[in-house]
Amino acid sequence: MHNEFLFAIIRLIHILAGVLWVGAAVMLAFFVGPAAGGAGPAGGAVMDQLIRVRKLPAYMASMAGLTVLAGLGLMWMHASATDGGWMRTPSGKLFMWGALVAIIGFVWGMIMASRLAKRMSARASALAAAGRPPTPEEQAELRQGFARLSFHTRGAAIVLVIAAAMMALARYV
């Protein structure tokens, strides 16, 4: 490797951002989201706080972007240092498959889950601002929205855990 220090810094960024991204995705998909969904209108207020005030989508996008960009940089550095030979090794192939799976998780999370979460947050805010209990139709709409959001956040989180596992094991194949 031409510049071991630069490689180490990019690897550190990749791993730390990945841990923060995947950990947040798992926490949101399996704990925070279901708890908010089960709390009814109060859960909508919590999600609104996370999304609008705490800027969770921006955090997730930042960690995801850092992870993907640093990972691509690492792959490029490995490939260029070995004239592409590393990409044909079992380790290189598993890293590449892991990268592809992570990018699928990134796209799924950013396009489907993030957009739906923002819509649900806005809807819950509007209902809370109305100053009245939601109608049965509005409650059904919220339940359906939370169910769709749960599907997408869990799916993206599972895909990200698979990608992280692939990359964790790639050094040893």
Side-chain angles (χ1 to χ4, degrees):
M1 201 73 45
H2 297 292
N3 191 337
E4 292 294 327
F5 181 74
L6 178 61
F7 179 80
I9 295 299
I10 294 172
R11 185 167 188 254
L12 180 65
I13 291 168
H14 178 68
I15 291 170
L16 290 179
V19 164
L20 294 171
W21 175 30
V22 176
V26 168
M27 179 65 83
L28 182 64
F30 292 99
F31 298 98
V32 176
V46 169
M47 294 307 291
D48 184 56
Q49 177 73 205
L50 283 170
I51 292 165
R52 283 189 323 103
V53 178
R54 301 290 177 179
K55 309 288 189 217
L56 183 62
Y59 167 82
M60 297 293 283
S62 298
M63 293 303 104
L66 279 173
T67 303
V68 170
L69 290 175
L72 292 173
L74 291 170
M75 287 177 56
W76 178 81
M77 291 173 80
H78 270 298
S80 66
T82 61
D83 292 324
W86 173 81
M87 307 280 273
R88 291 183 294 275
T89 67
S91 181
K93 288 177 184 178
L94 191 53
F95 273 117
M96 286 189 292
W97 278 107
L100 177 63
V101 171
I103 290 169
I104 290 168
F106 171 75
V107 170
W108 191 354
M110 290 298 112
I111 291 176
M112 298 303 293
S114 180
R115 286 183 183 173
L116 186 54
K118 287 178 185 176
R119 272 199 314 259
M120 291 297 301
S121 173
R123 185 68 179 127
S125 290
L127 288 173
R132 60 169 175 76
T135 66
E137 294 83 18
E138 291 168 334
Q139 287 177 337
E141 177 190 347
L142 286 174
R143 273 194 304 278
Q144 182 183 25
F146 273 116
R148 288 179 50 220
L149 181 59
S150 177
F151 169 79
H152 289 300
T153 56
R154 286 181 180 193
I158 290 167
V159 166
L160 293 175
V161 168
I162 292 168
M166 292 171 82
M167 292 193 195
L169 297 172
R171 296 182 69 91
Y172 304 103
V173 296

